[in-house]
């Protein structure tokens, strides 16, 4: 849908659940964010050796110890590799933690990579979530069913409160994964919530397409309450196809091939 909420910026939306590894505090936190933005937006190109620790300290106006702490965090997210007599080098794109909430938020909204990430993460959701809804219909407990129904009914696509909409959407999809009773599925919560934020900050509120389906979420929740696994799976699949069309349209609009050298 076309957004009249153009003031929404990347990273504005807060996750209602804990997502991602905690970042350091103070100057190290800001250093991580600045360097993360430089890397994801091609200031330091893929494969490039980054400036020295001393040079980065001057550039960021921080101590060398702060730079070291920041580089450790970025290394943990797959963005850089450091070795003695080698320096710190930006790692290949396929080694990045592309579903990490911080890595996503560091991208400039105009970067062509974001469009492909949105399309591909939506495609992955279409594979995972219908099967999760079917399992939830078989295994959800009463508390989980209540949360699903409440969060589905709390979604109002026309409402100006985007955070409230995003919060309800996150709770809905996280609860479905929890309700599968599958520990591995439950650990996909961070991935799914990061995908959701991509769709809100880069897709649903930007692209001329179909709105988030309140009715679709309600129908999925009701199918789970009725223990109807087949309907829950089919309804979830149909609902996510709307997102997939929007995601593919968003990607095609860029008309810019993905440059894996930046």
């Amino acid at each position: 849908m076309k957004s009249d909420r153009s003031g929404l910026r990347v990273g504005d939306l807060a996750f209602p659940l804990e997502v991602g590894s905690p970042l350091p505090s103070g100057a190290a936190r800001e250093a991580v964010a600045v360097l993360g933005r430089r890397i994801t937006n091609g200031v330091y190109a893929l494969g490039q050796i980054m400036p020295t620790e001393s040079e980065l300290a001057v550039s960021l106006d921080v101590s060398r110890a702060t730079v070291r702490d920041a580089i450790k965090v970025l290394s943990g997210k797959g963005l850089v590799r450091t070795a003695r007599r080698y320096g710190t080098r930006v790692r290949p794109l396929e080694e990045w933690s592309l579903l990490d909430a911080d890595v996503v938020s560091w991208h400039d909204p105009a970067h062509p990579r974001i469009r492909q990430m949105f399309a591909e993460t939506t495609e992955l959701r279409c594979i995972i979530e219908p099967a999760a809804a079917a399992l939830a219909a078989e295994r959800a407990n009463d508390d989980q069913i209540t949360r699903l129904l409440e969060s589905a009914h709390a979604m109002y696509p026309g409402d100006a409160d985007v955070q409230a909409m995003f919060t309800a959407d996150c709770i809905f999809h996280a609860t479905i994964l929890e309700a599968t009773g599958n520990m591995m599925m439950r650990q996909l919560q961070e991935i799914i919530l990061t995908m959701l934020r991509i769709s809100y900050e880069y897709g649903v509120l930007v692209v001329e397409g179909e709105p988030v389906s309140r009715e679709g979420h309600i129908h999925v929740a009701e199918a789970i309450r009725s223990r109807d696994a087949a309907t829950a799976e089919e309804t979830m699949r149909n609902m996510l196809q709307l997102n997939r069309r929007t995601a593919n349209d968003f990607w095609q609009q860029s008309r810019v091939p993905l440059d894996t050298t930046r």
Side-chain angles (χ1 to χ4, degrees), residues 23 25 36 59 66 81 100 136 158 177 181 193 196 222 228 256 258:
L23 294 178
S25 58
S59 169
T66 297
R81 179 185 294 111
D100 182 286
L177 292 173
L193 298 194
L196 275 174
E222 289 176 341
D228 186 342
V256 179
L258 182 65

Side-chain angles (χ1 to χ4, degrees), residues 17 92 152 160 201-202 206 230:
L17 308 171
E201 294 183 333
Y202 294 106
V206 178

Side-chain angles (χ1 to χ4, degrees), residues 28-254:
R29 183 185 186 91
E30 180 61 23
V32 169
V34 171
L35 293 177
R37 286 192 290 269
R38 290 179 185 177
I39 293 168
T40 55
N41 295 297
V43 175
Y44 305 136
L46 298 176
Q48 177 183 340
I49 296 177
M50 293 173 59
T52 65
E53 189 177 279
S54 297
E55 290 170 333
L56 289 174
V58 172
S59 169
L60 298 170
D61 193 23
V62 297
S63 68
R64 292 177 61 180
T66 297
V67 171
R68 283 195 294 274
D69 289 342
I71 292 297
K72 287 178 183 176
V73 173
L74 296 172
S75 178
K77 294 179 181 293
L79 297 181
V80 299
R81 179 185 294 111
T82 301
R84 185 176 297 178
R85 298 181 182 178
Y86 170 87
T88 299
R89 188 185 297 269
V90 179
R91 296 169 72 172
L93 182 63
E94 58 269 19
E95 296 180 11
W96 291 13
S97 299
L98 289 172
L99 291 173
D100 182 286
D102 296 315
V103 174
V104 172
S105 70
W106 290 332
H107 281 79
D108 186 284
H111 198 296
R113 185 185 299 126
I114 281 296
R115 297 175 181 267
Q116 180 166 358
M117 289 169 65
F118 177 38
E120 292 186 350
T121 53
T122 304
E123 184 173 70
L124 184 56
R125 287 185 66 194
C126 289
I127 296 169
I128 294 171
E129 292 196 81
L135 283 176
E138 298 172 357
R139 302 173 180 174
N141 61 37
D142 290 343
D143 177 65
Q144 291 162 342
I145 291 171
T146 297
R147 261 186 282 148
L148 286 172
L149 289 165
E150 288 179 348
S151 58
H153 282 279
M155 295 181 194
Y156 293 96
D159 198 317
D161 190 346
V162 182
Q163 179 64 60
M165 178 78 179
F166 177 66
T167 295
D169 215 351
C170 284
I171 291 172
F172 179 89
H173 291 279
T175 301
I176 283 183
L177 292 173
E178 176 189 315
T180 65
N182 182 308
M183 288 191 299
M184 302 305 169
M185 279 278 197
R186 185 166 185 165
Q187 291 196 10
L188 294 175
Q189 284 180 338
E190 179 178 338
I191 294 176
I192 296 299
L193 298 194
T194 300
M195 292 178 191
L196 275 174
R197 192 160 79 171
I198 291 176
S199 74
Y200 271 75
E201 294 183 333
Y202 294 106
V204 172
L205 301 181
V206 178
V207 182
E208 184 72 47
E210 299 186 60
V212 175
S213 172
R214 179 174 186 262
E215 292 74 18
H217 286 79
I218 292 172
H219 291 159
V220 171
E222 289 176 341
I224 291 172
R225 179 179 60 185
S226 300
R227 306 298 182 185
D228 186 342
T231 298
E233 182 172 8
E234 181 182 7
T235 305
M236 178 67 85
R237 180 177 294 108
N238 291 340
M239 182 173 68
L240 289 175
Q241 287 303 324
L242 301 180
N243 298 54
R244 190 173 184 181
R245 285 201 295 271
T246 298
N248 288 335
D249 288 347
F250 186 41
W251 186 6
Q252 294 303 317
Q253 284 175 15
S254 68

